[in-house]
Amino acid sequence: MLLAVPSEKVTLEDWMRRYQAGNGEAFEILVREISPRLRAIFRDQSPAADLEELIQETWFQVHRSRHTWRPGEMLLPWIYSIARHVRSRNYRKAARRNEIALDERFSVPPPELSFEFEQLLAELPASQREVLI
């Protein structure tokens, strides 16, 4: 009579070790298993249009940094840290785009001031006048 040997469960960390050793299939498995979790993280705080781009950028950074993950460490916190940095960079990039648009809006010359208001401004010290203008 043959006894069935229980198959060992392969963990994400095992797949990462294989990926670090050059196994391309291991990377595909990691992407398939972890991408839905990344999608859930990004969905909460990112526009839907950026979702797939953020996931792809995260995997690109994982690939670039794969040598920094140390076997024995938990893999998900390491990947989530990379995802957090990707999201932060994307947020800062979007903020810079908004700053440019805001500056363009304020480049329009101000409306003409009333004569009375101009007289009152002239009576103020230069520093206070500058703040109001």
Side-chain angles (χ1 to χ4, degrees):
M1 178 159 113
L2 293 173
L3 294 175
V5 178
S7 63
E8 291 184 36
K9 182 179 179 187
V10 179
T11 65
L12 293 173
E13 289 77 12
D14 293 331
W15 289 116
M16 185 62 176
R17 277 191 290 279
R18 293 175 186 181
Y19 172 50
Q20 284 180 320
N23 184 330
E25 180 186 5
F27 181 69
E28 292 175 18
I29 291 169
L30 288 170
V31 169
R32 186 178 64 235
E33 292 296 318
I34 299 172
S35 288
R37 298 173 191 197
L38 294 174
R39 189 170 284 107
I41 290 170
F42 290 134
R43 186 179 307 131
D44 291 339
Q45 298 176 353
S46 304
D50 295 342
L51 193 60
E52 293 305 318
E53 183 178 332
L54 291 169
I55 293 169
Q56 183 177 9
E57 179 63 23
T58 299
W59 285 114
F60 176 71
Q61 293 301 326
V62 165
H63 176 74
R64 285 185 56 193
S65 303
R66 68 189 179 280
H67 65 281
T68 65
W69 179 79
R70 293 184 298 261
E73 290 183 352
M74 299 285 292
L75 180 63
L76 286 177
W78 182 78
I79 290 177
Y80 291 161
S81 175
I82 292 171
R84 189 174 55 250
H85 289 291
V86 166
R87 184 179 58 209
S88 294
R89 277 196 311 272
N90 185 65
Y91 180 78
R92 285 191 302 270
K93 186 169 57 172
R96 284 193 300 271
R97 283 192 303 256
N98 288 341
E99 286 175 9
I100 292 170
L102 188 61
D103 290 342
E104 289 171 0
R105 190 180 79 199
F106 285 117
S107 67
V108 176
E112 294 298 321
L113 300 175
S114 70
F115 180 71
E116 295 85 20
F117 188 68
E118 287 180 5
Q119 284 180 330
L120 292 173
L121 280 177
E123 295 174 10
L124 291 173
S127 61
Q128 292 176 359
R129 185 174 36 239
E130 184 179 336
V131 169
L132 288 174
I133 291 175

